[in-house]
Each structure stands twice: as structure tokens, then as C-alpha cells.
Amino acid sequence: MANPAGESKDEVLKLDFDRRLMLQFRGSVVTSDAGLLAYRELDDALGLTEMTIERLADARTGRNGRHALVGLLRQSVFGRLAGYEDVNDAERLRHDPAMRWIVGGKAAQGCAASPSQMGRFETRWLAASENLSALADLSGRWIDLVHGRRPPRGIVLDMDSSVSPTHGEQEMSVWNGHYACTCYHPLFVFNQFGDLERCTLRAGNVHSADGWEGVLKPVVVRYRGKVSRIYFRADAAFAMPEVYEFLESERIKYAIRLPANRVLQDRIGYLLTRPVGRPPHCVRRFHANFTYQAGSWTKPRRVIAKVEWHPGELYPRVGFIVTNMSRPAERVVAFYNKRGTCEQWIKEGKGAIKWTRLSCRTFAANAVRLQLHALAYNLGNFLRTLATPEPIKDWSLTSLKQKLIKIGAKVVSHGRYVAFQMAEVAIPRQMFQEILRLIAELRPQPPPAPA
């Protein structure tokens, strides 16, 4: 590296349009990610990364490790949250003052982990089967800490698969005809707050519901006895008898889209005839409610049909939902339609966190990368749902990254403290102060003093 301190030793750069202007590059005393310190404050208030000390096994055998395991995890997670999804980014990021203080320990006064250190951490230590299993559980354990501060009365689980295109010789990267690309096919479970409960990486050519038990069942076990009610939503890929039977055995209320067939179409034949008269300039919507038992089912179940006649369309739009809920048909359909927010959260993960960046050669290393992206996504979503003031409460993760995380700051070191002199552009001082106040309210309250 030409400038190990992160500062350019060359002469200043000047601009021809006004020769009074000079450009200096001082990477070790200026940061473009000062807003990450708010996320580090949230991490400390909830005790998120600290819990990894007892969950992850340190596979290092030497005694002169420069960075603690928790520090390496912070560099991986916070770096992804700020948009540095490649290990090679550590070459410059290790000198960034915000990242050094986030990692903590020796990094605060020196430098964070190098690309080679981060590479070994992610592709060797975390890729070990024991650590990969613990890493998959970590998102749920983080959510449990959040629920300790914000106990929910009920949980709504949304399950969906997605696509992560690949562009190399990644192990188990296979052509998927539905997505028309070579890819991985990860599976996700979200709750109603947008938190990613659990995810897993799968080969590109598996069915959308393949391996659903390994993703959904641990989540249900975590909530068993903790909440009064659990709800489940999914698309037609999960319309399988074994899914219904598991949900019913756990007393989980569900609404799952059911693929259409001739028997279902015949049951609502009276709704498929075009209504008499001049069609209005609005959607005409009808619902039907009946009991149905497919050949592979062990018992009949409730099915709801929705038929919509749209202006200018010759044929109606028809959808079926299988459910064990007792709500009126209109309310069940409205409940199921909110599943679309799950697809939006997947888009945010792709856009803001870049969790489709799975460029390692081995499948285990890419599985680690997906779990690290999931932790970064959850950390970003925790701050959005727990500690954002009203004016920015509806911001997406992308907006928060561009306007909150990407705050420029100059770092001034004194004898007893270090000052980050932060720019006020999208996030003024008062708003940042309000974020810190909301985070402070999440800290455990000290026990009352004895009388």
C-alpha cells in the first residue's frame, strides 16, 4: 500500500476554475461514514455483537491475535452496512477513523483488520460448520434482545425465496429457468417489523420451498411460549400438506396462496361469468368461502377465493387462499395481501445491503457472507424501527445509508478525548441528538436504590 497511514504524501491538487481551491486527501483523520457511530451506539445499548463471544468459537491458535473475534465481526457487519461488501475494501477501510473506533480495542489507536485477516475470518473461521450454525442462529438471538426492549404481543412470519445471480465458478451455483440466470436461491423469513428472523443459502436449482423446515421450525421454537399468537403468510410455492400440518400442530394461524385448478375454478363458476350491464370505471371485487380437500390432504380446509373484474379487461383475476383463520373472507385477503411488504424488504436487502454479492468460490464461504449481510440488514432495521425520529421514520435503508451513515466528519484528537466534527447536511445536530436519546432509552435501567 502506497500510503499506509491513509494519507497522501503527494502535493495538493488544484482546480483550474479557481486556483485558490486546494484538494487534500487525509484518510486517517477524515471519514465519510461518521453516521455509523449511531449504529455502534445502538449495538452497545442492545448488546448485539458482544453476545458473539459466547456463540462463536475462535479457531485461531496463535497467542498474538491483534483483533478480538467480536472486533472482526463488527468490521464485517458494519462495513457491509456502510456499503463495503468486499473483503478487499478493508485495504482502505482499516484506516478509516470511524471504523477503527467501531472495531475498538487496538484498532482505535492503530488500524482495523487487513484484507488478509478479514479473508481468513470470513472464509475459514466462520465457514467452519460449528460457527456457520451459530451464525445462522445469531439473527434470531439479536431479535430476541430487541424484543426484550419492545415485547410484541403477536408475531407475523412471512416466508419467501429470492435470487442471487452469480457471475463466476461459485460452488453449487446452478442455472435457474424461472429466473433465467445462474444463481443461488436463498430462503428468508421476516417478521412484521421487517426484521430478518432467519435465512439460508441454497443451490440455484432447488424448489422455492426446499428446506423450509430448517428455516421456519427454529423460528417457531424460539417464539414458543413467548407470544400469545403467531401468524404465517407465504405464496403458492409453500402450499404443501406438510406445511399446513406443521402450522396446525403449532396452533399457528396461516394464510397461504393456493394454486388454481379445475376443481377450485368450478366451485366459483358463478363468479366467473361477466356481470351484466355496462362495466363501471372501478374494480369490482367478489369473494367466495368454501371447504375443499385436495387428494394429498388428510382433511378438508377452508379456502377463500377472490375474483376481481378490472376495467378494460375481458377476463377476471382470480386467486385462492387456504387458511385456518376464522376471520371474514375480506379480512383474510387483506391480511394475506400485506405479504407484499416481505418482497419489499428483500429488495431493500438487495439494494441497500447488497446481500446478493456472493462472490466467494466455496458454498460455505458464500453462506457465511449471506449471514453477515443478514446481520447488517437487521442492525440497520433495528435503528430504523427503534431509534429514528418522526421526520425520518419512513426512510428506507438506502436513504438512511446515503444520508445518515454517509455523514462526513473530521477527527480531532486531544489528550483525553477524540472529537468527530460532523457535517450538517441531511441530518442536523438536533436530529442526531434525538437518535442518540432514543437509543439511550433502550439501555437497561439500573435497579432502584434501596430505601
Side-chain angles (χ1 to χ4, degrees):
M1 182 175 177
N3 304 307
E7 303 177 8
S8 175
K9 298 295 192 293
D10 298 332
E11 295 183 359
V12 298
L13 304 179
K14 292 190 176 183
L15 302 174
D16 290 334
F17 78 89
D18 193 327
R19 299 297 290 178
R20 294 173 296 178
L21 298 179
M22 296 187 299
L23 305 181
Q24 295 180 334
F25 291 82
R26 299 178 60 82
S28 62
V29 295
V30 177
T31 179
S32 61
D33 302 313
L36 278 178
L37 298 174
Y39 292 84
R40 179 65 181 91
E41 183 76 357
L42 178 64
D43 169 33
D44 184 69
L46 298 175
L48 300 177
T49 55
E50 281 295 334
M51 75 175 337
T52 62
I53 297 175
E54 58 188 40
R55 301 295 176 185
L56 297 178
D58 194 344
R60 294 174 293 181
T61 57
R63 297 183 179 180
N64 60 343
R66 182 175 180 83
H67 303 290
L69 191 69
V70 66
L72 295 172
L73 181 70
R74 287 184 188 134
Q75 186 169 342
S76 290
V77 173
F78 282 83
R80 284 169 167 81
L81 184 60
Y84 306 105
E85 67 272 8
D86 281 330
V87 170
N88 292 338
D89 293 325
E91 186 65 35
R92 288 285 179 180
L93 193 61
R94 64 192 300 227
H95 302 292
D96 182 85
M99 182 56 66
R100 297 199 328 258
W101 282 96
I102 285 170
V103 171
K106 298 178 181 179
Q109 303 300 330
C111 59
S114 66
S116 60
Q117 291 172 315
M118 294 305 300
R120 288 193 297 271
F121 172 66
E122 294 186 8
T123 62
R124 289 174 55 186
W125 303 335
L126 292 184
S129 58
E130 180 183 0
N131 279 339
L132 183 54
S133 177
L135 201 61
D137 294 333
L138 204 54
S139 286
R141 297 187 183 278
W142 280 19
I143 293 172
D144 288 342
L145 291 176
V146 171
H147 289 173
R149 311 298 200 275
R150 181 193 59 188
R153 287 185 291 181
I155 289 292
V156 180
L157 300 177
D158 290 301
M159 176 171 272
D160 203 357
S161 64
S162 184
V163 58
S164 293
T166 56
H167 306 282
E169 298 297 328
Q170 289 97 318
E171 186 180 15
M172 296 180 66
S173 171
V174 187
W175 175 265
N176 187 300
H178 176 74
Y179 296 110
C181 67
T182 302
C183 63
Y184 288 122
H185 195 184
L187 184 61
F188 303 93
V189 175
F190 292 86
N191 62 30
Q192 72 267 35
F193 307 109
D195 304 325
L196 179 52
E197 293 277 357
R198 197 175 182 89
C199 64
T200 188
L201 190 65
R202 306 176 300 176
N205 60 347
V206 300
H207 184 268
S208 295
D210 186 75
W212 66 269
E213 305 99 322
V215 179
L216 180 60
K217 288 185 178 180
V219 178
V220 174
V221 170
R222 272 185 35 242
Y223 283 116
R224 190 178 292 159
K226 296 181 180 178
V227 294
S228 59
R229 182 69 70 183
I230 302 177
Y231 299 88
F232 178 81
R233 295 181 295 217
D235 62 17
F238 301 87
M240 301 184 298
E242 52 267 33
V243 176
Y244 311 147
E245 292 168 2
F246 167 73
L247 296 173
E248 291 162 357
S249 66
E250 295 288 340
R251 298 183 179 180
I252 296 174
K253 298 296 183 180
Y254 61 84
I256 302 175
R257 189 175 181 89
L258 193 63
N261 58 46
R262 176 57 60 185
V263 176
L264 294 174
Q265 296 278 2
D266 292 342
R267 294 293 297 271
I268 61 168
Y270 64 98
L271 294 178
L272 302 181
T273 302
R274 190 171 186 82
V276 179
R278 185 183 297 274
H281 296 289
C282 61
V283 177
R284 288 176 290 184
R285 188 174 292 109
F286 305 94
H287 296 88
N289 185 72
F290 54 90
T291 300
Y292 167 76
Q293 181 175 357
S296 58
W297 298 2
T298 58
K299 65 178 182 179
R301 293 181 172 89
R302 183 188 184 195
V303 172
I304 293 172
K306 181 183 70 170
V307 179
E308 291 181 341
W309 293 89
H310 288 252
E313 295 185 6
L314 184 60
Y315 298 103
R317 302 181 187 180
V318 182
F320 298 95
I321 298 173
V322 58
T323 183
N324 61 348
M325 302 172 68
S326 58
R327 301 179 185 182
E330 294 83 353
R331 291 184 58 193
V332 174
V333 172
F335 170 77
Y336 174 81
N337 287 342
K338 292 180 181 178
R339 195 192 68 83
T341 56
C342 170
E343 298 177 355
Q344 182 61 38
W345 293 325
I346 291 177
K347 290 180 181 179
E348 283 200 320
K350 291 180 177 180
I353 309 299
K354 301 292 191 300
W355 67 29
T356 58
R357 184 80 176 189
L358 306 175
S359 53
C360 293
R361 184 184 62 82
T362 66
F363 182 81
N366 283 320
V368 167
R369 288 179 63 86
L370 179 63
Q371 298 298 337
L372 292 172
H373 280 99
L375 294 175
Y377 168 88
N378 277 332
L379 180 58
N381 194 61
F382 293 160
L383 188 134
R384 175 171 61 177
T385 57
L386 297 173
T388 49
E390 196 61 35
I392 64 173
K393 189 165 289 292
D394 295 329
W395 281 12
S396 67
L397 293 184
T398 300
S399 295
L400 287 171
K401 182 175 76 172
Q402 294 174 347
K403 299 179 180 181
L404 174 59
I405 293 177
K406 297 298 181 181
I407 295 178
K410 179 182 178 181
V411 183
V412 179
S413 299
H414 298 275
R416 294 186 176 182
Y417 59 88
V418 175
F420 278 71
Q421 299 177 348
M422 304 173 71
E424 287 187 280
V425 184
I427 304 294
R429 179 188 183 279
Q430 293 78 5
M431 187 174 294
F432 204 95
Q433 183 179 16
E434 179 65 9
I435 292 173
L436 296 181
R437 184 191 68 79
L438 294 171
I439 293 174
E441 293 180 353
L442 298 172
R443 292 186 178 276
Q445 298 299 317

